[in-house]
Amino acid sequence: MTEKTPILSVQDLVVRYSTGSHTHVDAVRGVTFDLYPGQSLALVGESGCGKTTLGLGLLRLLPRMGSVPSGSMQYVGKNGKKIDVLKLSHGALRRWRWEEAAIVFQGAMNSFNPVMRIGDQMADTMRSHLVGGVKPSKSVIAEKSAEMLRAVRLEPKQVLSSYPHELSGGMRQRVLIAISLLLDPRLLILDEPTTALDILTQRAIVDVLAELRERLGFTMIFITHDLALAAELADRVATMYAGRIIETGSVRDIFSNARHPYTAGLINAVPPVTGELPTLASIPGSPPSLASLPAGCAFRDRCRFAEEQCAKTDPVLDLIEQRPEGMQHSAACLRWQEVHSKREVVGADV
Ligand SMILES: Nc1ncnc2c1ncn2[C@@H]1O[C@H](COP(=O)(O)OP(=O)(O)OP(=O)(O)O)[C@@H](O)[C@H]1O
Ligand SMILES: [Mg+2]
């Protein structure tokens, strides 16, 4: 059972990239959600919809041209204290990351220092933090590093003394997961952690993540293009489109009862594993440019449900089914009542 207070509460978050001295784009445009302890939220959507930007924004890891002009992020720490993430000082933020919240990036190689052994990189991460209120000793660091490597099913003896290039892509990705968990964060964000890997390696990492979650009970945001992975690893799904969450609900609600034509289209574009192969439909067109979003609904040019009103109103998330602990099903579509998912929605005619 999860507790009743969200671990993370995000309100109207905007993430902006400046693109020139007087120009900018908002890659995240007013995102609101609550995440409860132990939940796993999959963030899905097409390339460029703002998934990574949202993940980086949540950890305040944006590049220099990125900023958060408005919105709020409240986080409840291990000690039960509320933390206003956007107000954390530089030092407090450094501690908050790793000790409370960590992120695993796609493309493991870039996250390592190529000339440092894995053991030293793990030690470096731990040394600048407190463990149980004190600076960790060499033996604590060695013990914890080995424990976390074993937890991701790697042999510490071999891996600790290796350089990143001596490990396979799958091993490196596991090491990154081990490093991210060194300081027992309560919130783990994974940005496409398996995308560059072959299918068997991908499978192994998904199994490791499911096992770790079960054992350590951290809360997870899992960013992925892969709906099958989302269904497997998440309790909840949020679909993003042009910087907004346009539908959210439990895995079951999203997969069997999607009510936003875009989510329904995404689901219909995935072939079923069993049964007859239906005519798969892709979603016509491509996402709008963030620099010149049309008035009204950002999806309307690609939507076969679009009507006159959709050009005038930019719909907000409308409640479809109330459920506890952030699991409610909502969709930002004026016509969600007419959208019935499962392969009839975006049919062969599109
Ligand atoms: N540093 C940056 N400066 C300006 N615009 C950026 C920057 N980084 C990302 N963007 C823009 O922000 C939008 C969202 O990008 P983001 O990388 O968050 O998408 P994504 O959903 O993670 O995509 P993908 O699935 O390809 O990883 C895109 O339109 C992108 O062009
Ligand atoms: Mg991304």
Side-chain angles (χ1 to χ4, degrees), residues 4 12 44 48 70 85 94 102 108 165 190 249 271 297 300 303 315 324:
K4 290 282 182 286
D12 272 325
V44 303
S70 61
V85 179
R94 275 190 45 205
H165 71 266
L190 298 124
C297 173
R300 73 182 153 86
C303 181

Side-chain angles (χ1 to χ4, degrees), residues 15-19 25-28 44-56 63-66 106 191-192 223-225 240 243 288-291:
V15 180
R16 179 166 292 173
Y17 291 116
S18 67
T19 46
V25 293
D26 289 343
V28 169
V44 303
E46 266 164 303
S47 186
C49 69
K51 304 180 298 294
T52 295
T53 302
L54 177 57
L56 293 174
R64 218 158 33 92
M65 63 284 246
Q106 168 183 2
D191 190 357
E192 310 262 13
I223 297 173
T224 183
H225 284 108
M240 282 189 81
S289 157
L290 290 171

Side-chain angles (χ1 to χ4, degrees), residues 68-273:
V68 176
S70 61
S72 75
M73 294 193 270
Q74 302 291 333
Y75 173 87
V76 178
K78 289 175 188 165
N79 59 6
K81 278 210 184 115
K82 275 203 175 151
I83 295 170
D84 187 336
V85 179
L86 290 175
K87 295 214 172 104
L88 285 176
S89 66
H90 188 66
L93 187 60
R94 275 190 45 205
R95 286 189 298 278
W96 181 74
R97 289 192 208 123
W98 300 105
E99 289 175 32
E100 295 281 359
I103 188 163
V104 175
F105 292 106
Q106 168 183 2
M109 201 59 191
N110 300 334
S111 301
F112 288 109
N113 180 338
V115 296
M116 236 172 130
R117 291 179 201 274
I118 299 296
D120 294 332
Q121 307 206 27
M122 293 181 97
D124 249 23
T125 304
M126 287 193 76
R127 254 198 298 270
S128 47
H129 292 269
L130 302 179
V131 176
V134 291
K135 284 249 164 237
S137 63
K138 262 192 176 167
S139 66
V140 166
I141 289 175
E143 239 167 69
K144 186 73 182 180
S145 301
E147 181 196 329
M148 289 326 299
L149 287 175
R150 276 193 296 270
V152 295
R153 300 192 199 146
L154 290 173
E155 175 48 58
K157 241 193 184 144
Q158 180 208 346
V159 172
L160 285 168
S161 58
S162 298
Y163 288 98
H165 71 266
E166 293 172 327
L167 304 176
S168 70
M171 288 167 93
R172 282 197 293 266
Q173 200 66 36
R174 284 181 207 213
V175 172
L176 278 190
I177 294 171
I179 293 179
S180 72
L181 294 170
L182 276 175
L183 290 140
D184 303 321
R186 296 182 80 200
L187 174 64
L188 183 64
I189 301 179
L190 298 124
D191 190 357
E192 310 262 13
T194 62
T195 303
L197 305 171
D198 66 82
I199 193 103
L200 289 179
T201 312
Q202 214 177 71
R203 181 74 259 152
I205 298 223
V206 168
D207 290 346
V208 159
L209 277 173
E211 194 180 296
L212 284 171
R213 225 190 116 211
E214 174 106 17
R215 215 177 90 200
L216 304 174
F218 50 79
T219 307
M220 189 159 101
I221 299 180
F222 189 83
I223 297 173
T224 183
H225 284 108
D226 188 334
L227 290 172
L229 274 191
E232 191 172 341
L233 272 173
D235 322 307
R236 292 171 57 191
V237 178
T239 316
M240 282 189 81
Y241 190 78
R244 289 240 165 108
I245 290 180
I246 50 94
E247 183 159 11
T248 176
S250 66
V251 164
R252 197 197 176 107
D253 279 337
I254 297 294
F255 282 88
S256 62
N257 190 24
R259 289 309 189 95
H260 193 292
Y262 177 67
T263 314
L266 281 183
I267 289 166
N268 286 341
V270 179
V273 178

